[in-house]
Amino acid sequence: MRNGNRTSGIDIIGDLRWGTHFCQFYRTKKDLMDILIPYFKAGLEDNEYCLWVISKPVDEEEAKEALKAAIPDIDTYLENGKIEIVPYPYWHAEEDVLDPQTLLNYLTEKTSKVLASGYDGLRYSGSDFSGHEKLLGSAIDRYSIIVLCTYPTDKYSAVEILDIVANHPFALTKKEGKWERIESSCQKNNNECKQVEEALSMSEERFRTLVTASSEMVYRVSPDWSEMRYLYGRGFLVNTESPNRNCLQEYVPSEDQPYVMAVISEAIRTTSTYELEHRVRLADGSLGWIFSRAVPMLDVYGEIVEWFGTASDITKRKKVEAELNDTLDNLDKLVKERTIELQKAYDSLKKSEKSLAEAQEIAHLGNWELDFISNEFHWSDEMYRIFGLKPQELKVNYDTLDFADYLNKLTENLFSSYDLGNKSIGLKLNLDQIYLGMDTAIPLGIIVN
């Protein structure tokens, strides 16, 4: 192994020796870039072969753009193969890296190759050794290699973060906008580690207290909703304590999944609050309903780093709504049936009225009606004809009616019906006005109702 210190490029670290293995905790994309860009810049300037295995939230193009802002001639370094930027999925597929030991063997072999090519050593960064930091730390001390492991804080519990710190000589973390170097408990500054432990434990305890005190279900999901990171189902839904990438398939009925995903996609596209009532599979296997609402957590660049949401059980309300809708449907059906019956009755009544009118016209009989409540007096059409009037041409009055024309015609018809044997005998009445009420006309036999 070559001797001599190496420039880290990071102010709070200074120089490093070969075989150094340290880590960085980040919350945002900017946090990640703050450390990695100067780290690789220093390596390129010191004739080191640089290998950067990238993963979310950074893609290959963003990595190149960030490097170009700090290193104007980065394209030359890339063309000459002095720095390699490899997406995490491609890296694992290309190198057939199945476990940390295989990866470690690859890095040590790669280091030997770059030394033979004239480089001073290898500078690496990635997140491949999560959970296997001890293996890495114990092996690279003999090689001309520097390793920086990166960890997103939102994916690890307080206990896991403490374990990560303990397995690195030191860690970088951001506090109140400033980067700090925290020595491992195995190193000089055990108090710093204890402060981190207390802060993380308190933060996690507060979150769990909030979840427990809430009457709602609480969940956290990845930016693209592909992974449920945490779900406290309150016995209504099955809890998710570790990351789950099959949450949609497990919780949402298959026939409802396209609609739910469409609403989620729109919320992601517009970086807006997600709200939806939908069916879910309950902890007991049956189907129920929830109202789910989630808000996006953004980094300084306005990009989503996580969704935090709550959900409430609305199964009972949905059941009542369904019953009410059934009742309204039945009521609407009854109203339609009753309307049809009334229409039939009305049509039958109109038909009966028409038949009565025709019968009265044939028999030359009329009828009248008096409504004692409204005091409205009504004649049939034939009554008007009997009195020599056009049907409904004037309004008749029950109390006073001129019977002169009616009596003149009546007596003339009666007289002509008798055969007196002498045509010279005649009868002539000259009645100008005879006003009688119906109460008088009926007893006199003038009008028969």
Side-chain angles (χ1 to χ4, degrees), residues 110-288:
K110 184 75 171 178
T111 302
S112 298
K113 291 179 181 179
V114 300
L115 288 172
S117 299
Y119 291 97
D120 289 355
L122 184 146
R123 184 170 294 218
Y124 167 85
S125 179
S127 57
D128 305 86
F129 290 93
S130 178
H132 301 276
E133 292 82 7
K134 285 184 178 179
L135 172 65
L136 179 64
S138 62
I140 67 170
D141 187 69
R142 303 186 303 274
Y143 295 90
S144 298
I145 183 172
I146 296 174
V147 174
L148 167 55
C149 297
T150 57
Y151 302 93
T153 55
D154 59 352
K155 284 193 175 183
Y156 298 89
S157 68
V159 174
E160 290 172 329
I161 289 176
L162 287 172
D163 187 62
I164 292 169
V165 173
N167 286 292
H168 292 84
F170 61 90
L172 301 180
T173 184
K174 203 170 189 179
K175 182 178 180 182
E176 297 180 354
K178 294 182 179 181
W179 285 102
E180 295 184 356
R181 170 173 172 163
I182 301 175
E183 302 293 336
S184 168
S185 58
C186 300
Q187 306 298 319
K188 298 178 181 179
N189 200 338
N190 188 46
N191 290 332
E192 289 283 354
C193 183
K194 199 169 186 67
Q195 289 175 7
V196 172
E197 178 183 0
E198 291 174 354
L200 291 172
S201 296
M202 183 176 294
S203 177
E204 186 167 323
E205 183 63 26
R206 285 175 177 172
F207 173 74
R208 292 189 177 277
T209 300
L210 173 64
V211 170
T212 305
S214 173
S215 60
E216 307 287 305
M217 290 167 274
V218 178
Y219 61 90
R220 292 165 48 220
V221 293
S222 61
D224 61 357
W225 286 70
S226 63
E227 179 181 86
M228 177 73 74
R229 294 175 175 174
Y230 178 85
L231 169 64
Y232 182 59
R234 303 196 66 83
F236 183 70
L237 299 178
V238 176
N239 290 344
T240 296
E241 295 290 347
S242 57
N244 180 3
R245 302 188 68 85
N246 297 313
C247 57
L248 185 68
Q249 292 74 21
E250 292 178 4
Y251 290 108
V252 181
S254 57
E255 60 270 27
D256 298 349
Q257 291 175 17
Y259 176 63
V260 174
M261 279 308 304
V263 178
I264 290 173
S265 297
E266 180 63 14
I268 294 173
R269 186 186 70 81
T270 57
T271 319
S272 59
T273 300
Y274 159 81
E275 287 187 348
L276 184 64
E277 293 182 356
H278 65 88
R279 296 191 302 165
V280 291
R281 195 164 304 283
L282 308 182
D284 61 4
S286 63
L287 289 179

Side-chain angles (χ1 to χ4, degrees), residues 46-63:
D46 276 0
N47 192 40
E48 297 173 14
Y49 181 89
C50 296
L51 175 59
W52 185 1
V53 178
I54 59 172
S55 58
K56 292 183 178 180
V58 178
D59 59 34
E60 186 175 358
E61 289 303 316
E62 289 175 326

Side-chain angles (χ1 to χ4, degrees), residues 22 29 122 223 413:
F22 66 104
K29 185 187 300 184
L122 184 146
N413 290 337

Side-chain angles (χ1 to χ4, degrees), residues 295-440:
V295 294
M297 311 299 289
L298 309 179
D299 62 15
V300 293
Y301 298 104
E303 296 187 15
I304 302 172
V305 296
E306 188 176 58
W307 291 81
F308 183 84
T310 61
S312 55
D313 176 11
I314 59 169
T315 305
K316 291 182 180 178
R317 174 167 69 79
K318 281 293 184 180
K319 184 177 180 181
V320 172
E321 287 178 357
E323 292 174 350
L324 178 59
N325 288 334
D326 289 342
T327 301
L328 292 175
D329 289 343
N330 291 334
L331 180 60
D332 184 59
K333 181 180 178 181
L334 291 173
V335 169
K336 289 180 180 178
E337 291 176 351
R338 185 58 178 161
T339 301
I340 293 173
E341 292 175 358
L342 291 174
Q343 185 63 45
K344 289 180 178 179
Y346 175 77
D347 293 343
S348 177
L349 176 61
K350 297 298 291 183
K351 185 176 180 181
S352 297
E353 288 178 349
K354 181 179 180 182
S355 298
L356 176 61
E358 292 174 349
Q360 286 183 344
E361 185 175 0
I362 294 172
H364 200 52
L365 294 174
N367 72 291
W368 56 270
E369 296 176 359
L370 175 64
D371 189 330
F372 289 101
I373 296 177
S374 64
N375 201 34
E376 290 185 358
F377 187 53
H378 176 74
W379 274 8
S380 67
D381 289 350
E382 194 60 27
M383 280 290 289
Y384 281 93
R385 295 189 188 97
I386 290 172
F387 279 89
L389 303 171
K390 292 181 180 180
Q392 311 301 328
E393 74 172 334
L394 56 82
K395 185 174 182 180
V396 294
N397 192 306
Y398 180 87
D399 296 323
T400 57
L401 187 65
D402 186 359
F403 282 87
D405 291 341
Y406 173 72
L407 290 175
N408 281 330
K409 188 178 289 187
L410 178 62
T411 54
E412 182 180 342
N413 290 337
L414 286 173
F415 186 78
S416 63
S417 67
Y418 291 99
D419 186 9
L420 300 177
N422 188 343
K423 294 183 179 181
S424 62
I425 299 174
L427 176 65
K428 184 176 182 181
L429 294 178
N430 186 13
L431 303 175
D432 291 332
Q433 291 182 334
I434 299 178
Y435 287 101
L436 298 173
M438 297 300 288
D439 289 337
T440 303

